[in-house]
Amino acid sequence: MPESYLHGLNDDICSIKGIGAKKKEQLSAAGIETVGDLLSYYPVKYKDRRNAVRAMDAGTERDSLVTGRLIKVQLRPLSGGRSMTECTLRDDSCVFYAVFFNMPYLRKTLDTGADYSLFGRMRVRNGARVWTNPEFSKTGGDRDVRGILPVYRHSAGLTDINLRKWIRDALDTTDLDTDWIGSDIAEERRLCGQRYAYSNIHFPESEQHYKKARYRLIYEKLLMYQLAVRVNGAGLRDDQTDSSVTETDMNEFYGGLPFELTEGQSKCIEEIMADLSSKRSMNRLVQGDVGCGKTVVAEAAMYRCAKSGLQSAMMAPTEILARQHFESISKDLSKHGIRCGLLVSGMKPAERRSVIDDTASGRIDVLIGTHALIQKDVLFSDLALVITDEQHRFGVAQRKIFANKGRGVNVCVMSATPIPRTLAATVFGDMDFSIIRSMPSNRKKIITRALDAHTRERAYIDMGRELEKGGRAYVIAPSIDSEDDDLYSVQKLFEEIKERYPGYTAALLHGRLPAEEKASIMDSFKEGRIQILVSTIVIEVGIDVPEATVIIIENSERFGLAQMHQLRGRVGRSSRQSYCYVINYSNTETAQTRARAMAEISDGFEISEVDYELRGPGDIMGTMQSGNTSNDILLLSRYTDILENAISDADKIMEEYRGGGSLTDVEYAYERLMHADAADNSNVI
Ligand code: ADP
Ligand code: MG
């Protein structure tokens, strides 16, 4: 009875019971804006709470699940207007108690004589077995505390209990019965329906149910992506304006660089030049390990376009990186009379207006920025080239996004993430590849050591020595201000470091700081007024401060391997010897293997192989929900059998479409993908 449902997947999250302005803000910080986003906020793991124990057998060391009949409920007033509700229950082993503080209404809502399930830690008080403030529910009711229960990734103020409640409500009140995947495909691939998938990914009835749900969700994501790749490819590689330049012009650019290009850079630039002078527009992925020098390759391409009177846009994943690019690129290009502009979201309206006007009129040749570049009112007079740096989640869609901003747009995606060529071709569709294998010749291998709580000191001693020699240091921690004793927060480290290195200036950097403050801290660090930067992973990609020679990564167990490799790439950017310390505080095998891999492997391609191998099912589900960066799509694409099915089905759908069939599902896939892109909030940390 779809009519009786209240919500569609695209409805605002506030339409769910109990979500007001404050909760909406918290959800929004986790990237959840719509009912569909909420349902796609998949658990990272589950608690198996199917088997109750006898109350007599419950231990005091860990939480336990018991069920029993409610015999008596008593409300006892306490001092200061507080109260205690004491419930007496019995199972076939003994009488036991549940105590709730300050929930006087329970006395009226609990049914004496009914069976209840309790979950929590038992304590023995005066010989009685007591559960204090346990999770509880009527046994067999639809909010049962028993079962396989989801655990979510925690962010700003969201709790599992709330999320479970809202998701249950969304499942009950959303129209999930009109499936966008056609019934013929569903049948052939034995896919469960949407309702089944969402219900069982959150509240799986059994492992079997969970697997079926997961299979469908992975297939669905891959199919959406494959369709989007095809839609974007269709008819978009059209003729382009020739952006020819003279050799003298190009030589002027090369001559102005402070270094000789490496072989890898030269070859890559040649490939791009050939693309730009061909009739067909460019669609190229440039891969090269951190520090190999991709920025100058982008500069060469933008230089060429500007010299032919055409505009370029370059998009970076964070504001810090966009500003850095703006500074270094305008330094290199302005001496050739090329005008660069910066567009980021934190700008003053008047400033923004003037950049937008100059872009529309053609006074700006090269526009550099963040997502802000794809806003509707940003228009170009003659856009010919779009470069995205470290942000291939736009790779597949950028052509379409920029299609109404210019004509025959050339696309270049730069990435430090190594992607196996065969896989890349399947995932990205019609794209050419350049790989930069060589590093600038002045580089030394970064010395990396894996440390733990006992050997941690060593990192800070070495750091002191490097500071003395005039180096600069990064210290990275996983959280901003954690209460957790096992976790370093940048706040805590910052205090420690200020005390320890009184002769140096340290600064704190994280995503909650206002944009201008971040920018000014980065400037000071770059110029050496600050020597120690204590930071969260906001500095993960792209930041280039060649004087930095040490990076310490605290709580390495909280970081992914590829992520740590990116972090390590912040040092070793000059001819000086650099050092990286990863400090692991966890005994788990994965954490230890990751730390060891960092110490032993310096090559990005090898790192990414190990990274894939170490990722568990929890990661996969986490991935599915942010699932739009092509990294994530690549991870899912490791399910080669599912990928093959998705590819062949996408081809079939496109064929029907070309034959005059409906494009509804293709459009749907596209919308969903774009929506998820817009909602992505991965830069908040
Ligand atoms: P990434 O590939 O990680 O984006 P960048 O483009 O940021 O690397 O370059 C890293 C550093 O290396 C920058 O400081 C840049 O100026 C420098 N660099 C780039 N190419 C060369 C080269 N051929 N020789 C020496 N230094 C170079
Ligand atoms: Mg870079």
Side-chain angles (χ1 to χ4, degrees):
M1 313 169 286
E3 292 81 14
S4 66
Y5 288 119
L6 298 169
H7 306 123
L9 286 171
N10 290 328
D11 286 4
D12 191 277
I13 194 68
C14 282
S15 55
I16 300 288
K17 222 169 32 202
I19 301 182
K22 180 147 173 267
K23 294 289 176 212
K24 182 184 163 77
E25 204 175 294
Q26 292 171 347
L27 286 161
S28 164
I32 304 172
E33 309 274 355
T34 65
V35 174
D37 296 338
L38 179 66
L39 289 175
S40 307
Y41 196 74
Y42 304 125
V44 284
K45 59 183 182 192
Y46 299 86
K47 282 188 191 156
D48 187 350
R49 226 191 259 167
R50 279 175 292 185
N51 302 316
V53 295
R54 300 188 325 154
M56 200 59 187
D57 301 333
T60 54
E61 280 86 54
R62 62 173 65 94
D63 292 343
S64 47
L65 176 73
V66 287
T67 61
R69 174 130 326 151
L70 183 63
I71 303 169
K72 195 161 83 182
V73 182
Q74 269 182 303
L75 181 64
R76 297 180 196 280
L78 302 173
S79 63
R82 299 183 319 126
S83 72
M84 178 174 115
T85 311
E86 190 185 276
C87 307
T88 313
L89 298 100
R90 138 193 308 284
D91 70 0
D92 52 20
S93 69
C94 65
V95 168
F96 57 98
Y97 302 88
V99 171
F100 301 93
F101 287 96
N102 305 320
M103 297 163 82
Y105 49 87
L106 282 180
R107 192 169 57 129
K108 294 228 174 69
T109 50
L110 292 173
D111 286 342
T112 318
D115 288 333
Y116 282 87
S117 307
L118 309 182
F119 180 81
R121 187 73 51 93
M122 186 272 286
R123 291 202 168 72
V124 182
R125 293 254 157 80
N126 304 327
R129 306 175 88 74
V130 182
W131 275 257
T132 306
N133 288 331
E135 287 178 51
F136 73 99
S137 65
K138 226 180 212 179
T139 305
D142 59 352
R143 307 267 135 131
D144 206 331
V145 297
R146 295 186 312 172
I148 305 175
L149 291 179
V151 177
Y152 298 94
R153 191 177 52 183
H154 290 249
S155 50
L158 298 175
T159 63
D160 285 334
I161 301 206
N162 274 340
L163 283 163
R164 284 177 202 150
K165 194 167 80 188
W166 295 329
I167 288 170
R168 280 202 157 109
D169 196 58
L171 285 168
D172 288 348
T173 57
T174 306
D175 174 14
L176 293 171
D177 298 320
T178 19
D179 202 329
W180 76 277
I181 296 180
S183 54
D184 42 342
I185 291 181
E187 213 163 286
E188 186 176 348
R189 303 298 175 205
R190 296 160 166 243
L191 300 174
C192 66
Q194 247 179 156
R195 172 169 299 287
Y196 183 107
Y198 283 124
S199 301
N200 282 289
I201 207 68
H202 292 287
F203 305 101
E205 266 177 48
S206 70
E207 206 162 323
Q208 220 67 22
H209 284 73
Y210 161 75
K211 282 191 179 147
K212 227 172 148 156
R214 198 178 91 137
Y215 177 86
R216 143 127 199 173
L217 294 169
I218 293 175
Y219 170 90
E220 177 172 18
K221 190 117 244 173
L222 289 171
L223 179 66
M224 272 187 198
Y225 198 80
Q226 288 299 324
L227 285 171
V229 166
R230 282 160 183 68
V231 173
N232 274 301
L236 280 165
R237 282 261 204 154
D238 38 22
D239 290 357
Q240 59 165 328
T241 334
D242 185 11
S243 58
S244 59
V245 277
T246 61
E247 207 161 302
T248 334
D249 265 342
M250 281 321 290
N251 284 338
E252 218 170 89
F253 169 73
Y254 299 130
L257 292 175
F259 43 69
E260 290 278 309
L261 293 174
T262 63
E263 204 187 310
Q265 286 169 323
S266 302
K267 186 159 154 278
C268 179
I269 292 177
E270 252 168 57
E271 287 165 341
I272 290 177
M273 293 302 148
D275 286 347
L276 291 175
S277 56
S278 101
K279 281 234 164 328
R280 219 159 146 254
S281 53
M282 166 167 76
N283 194 20
R284 185 169 287 279
L285 175 66
V286 173
Q287 297 181 72
D289 209 349
V290 272
C292 73
K294 293 182 288 294
T295 317
V296 69
V297 170
E299 271 176 26
M302 296 191 288
Y303 173 88
R304 177 192 170 120
C305 289
K307 281 289 162 191
S308 345
L310 300 168
Q311 289 173 301
S312 311
M314 182 168 184
M315 195 153 62
T318 64
E319 202 162 315
I320 295 182
L321 196 53
R323 285 178 190 276
Q324 171 186 293
H325 280 329
F326 172 70
E327 272 155 36
S328 72
I329 292 172
S330 48
K331 198 169 86 202
D332 286 349
L333 295 185
S334 63
K335 59 184 168 214
H336 303 290
I338 294 169
R339 293 148 305 185
C340 301
L342 174 71
L343 191 66
V344 291
S345 42
M347 288 167 80
K348 296 195 182 70
E351 219 180 337
R352 177 172 188 276
R353 195 66 255 160
S354 109
V355 174
I356 288 182
D357 288 346
D358 288 348
T359 305
S361 67
R363 275 193 296 275
I364 284 178
D365 304 300
V366 169
L367 184 62
I368 297 163
T370 52
H371 290 58
L373 294 191
I374 63 171
Q375 285 157 354
K376 282 208 177 66
D377 59 342
V378 182
L379 295 168
F380 294 79
S381 74
D382 212 343
L383 179 67
L385 172 66
V386 176
I387 296 176
T388 51
D389 188 34
E390 308 289 1
Q391 186 164 30
H392 19 163
R393 84 191 139 99
F394 283 109
V396 89
Q398 67 194 175
R399 218 167 249 290
K400 184 110 169 184
I401 299 171
F402 283 96
N404 63 348
K405 297 186 187 285
R407 62 202 144 88
V409 173
N410 291 289
V411 168
C412 181
V413 179
M414 311 220 147
S415 165
T417 312
I419 300 164
R421 186 179 281 259
T422 44
L423 196 52
T426 2
V427 174
F428 292 102
D430 183 21
M431 230 181 185
D432 299 311
F433 300 90
S434 295
I435 299 179
I436 304 178
R437 290 199 186 280
S438 42
M439 284 285 172
S441 57
N442 60 357
R443 302 291 163 77
K444 292 196 180 67
K445 195 175 147 196
I446 302 165
I447 296 174
T448 305
R449 302 196 197 290
L451 305 176
D452 58 24
H454 305 292
T455 49
R456 171 178 188 263
E457 196 48 26
R458 173 158 180 198
Y460 289 91
I461 292 172
D462 288 4
M463 173 173 143
R465 194 196 57 221
E466 278 302 303
L467 288 170
E468 239 165 73
K469 285 198 279 177
R472 275 166 234 164
Y474 296 100
V475 182
I476 310 297
S479 83
I480 302 180
D481 48 11
S482 158
E483 306 269 286
D484 192 340
D485 279 344
D486 298 334
L487 208 58
Y488 273 102
S489 67
V490 286
Q491 290 300 0
K492 193 154 68 179
L493 272 172
F494 182 55
E495 295 307 319
E496 184 182 323
I497 278 169
K498 271 195 299 194
E499 205 163 291
R500 182 161 191 157
Y501 307 100
Y504 300 95
T505 311
L508 192 56
L509 188 74
H510 55 73
R512 270 194 237 143
L513 297 177
E516 304 102 77
E517 201 174 330
K518 277 191 271 186
S520 104
I521 290 172
M522 275 321 296
D523 279 347
S524 305
F525 186 62
K526 216 171 259 185
E527 285 156 22
R529 288 190 302 275
I530 288 171
Q531 299 87 37
I532 309 167
L533 199 59
V534 184
S535 171
T536 57
I537 56 160
V538 284
I539 59 126
E540 182 187 11
V541 288
I543 294 303
D544 183 46
V545 179
E547 292 80 6
T549 53
V550 181
I551 183 164
I552 297 177
I553 305 172
E554 289 280 4
N555 290 107
S556 67
E557 68 273 16
R558 294 298 177 112
F559 296 102
L561 197 47
Q563 207 170 28
M564 285 198 276
H565 180 68
Q566 262 288 348
L567 285 169
R568 173 165 60 184
R570 294 318 104 218
V571 299
R573 297 184 151 249
S574 71
S575 56
R576 295 172 59 170
Q577 178 62 55
S578 288
Y579 303 86
C580 170
Y581 301 88
V582 295
I583 313 181
N584 166 38
Y585 299 93
S586 156
N587 304 325
T588 67
E589 205 175 312
T590 325
Q592 289 175 357
T593 315
R594 270 204 299 253
R596 230 178 303 121
M598 280 294 289
E600 286 163 12
I601 309 172
S602 54
D603 176 70
F605 276 78
E606 266 180 69
I607 287 272
S608 92
E609 280 304 314
V610 181
D611 187 35
Y612 279 130
E613 271 156 37
L614 290 178
R615 284 183 185 240
D619 283 335
I620 302 270
M621 291 320 289
T623 290
M624 297 246 322
Q625 104 212 341
S626 68
N628 296 286
T629 73
S630 34
N631 281 349
D632 299 340
I633 292 294
L634 280 167
L635 188 58
L636 294 182
S637 298
R638 293 248 145 176
Y639 294 96
T640 41
D641 47 339
I642 310 184
L643 175 67
E644 273 165 28
N645 291 345
I647 288 173
S648 104
D649 293 345
D651 284 338
K652 209 160 29 180
I653 292 172
M654 288 308 283
E655 218 167 276
E656 279 164 22
Y657 155 59
R658 282 194 205 92
S662 146
L663 193 62
T664 347
D665 34 7
V666 180
E667 273 167 0
Y668 175 85
Y670 204 82
E671 290 286 303
R672 285 282 297 274
L673 214 61
M674 294 317 298
H675 168 74
D677 259 354
D680 188 272
N681 252 312
S682 52
N683 299 325
V684 179
I685 301 173

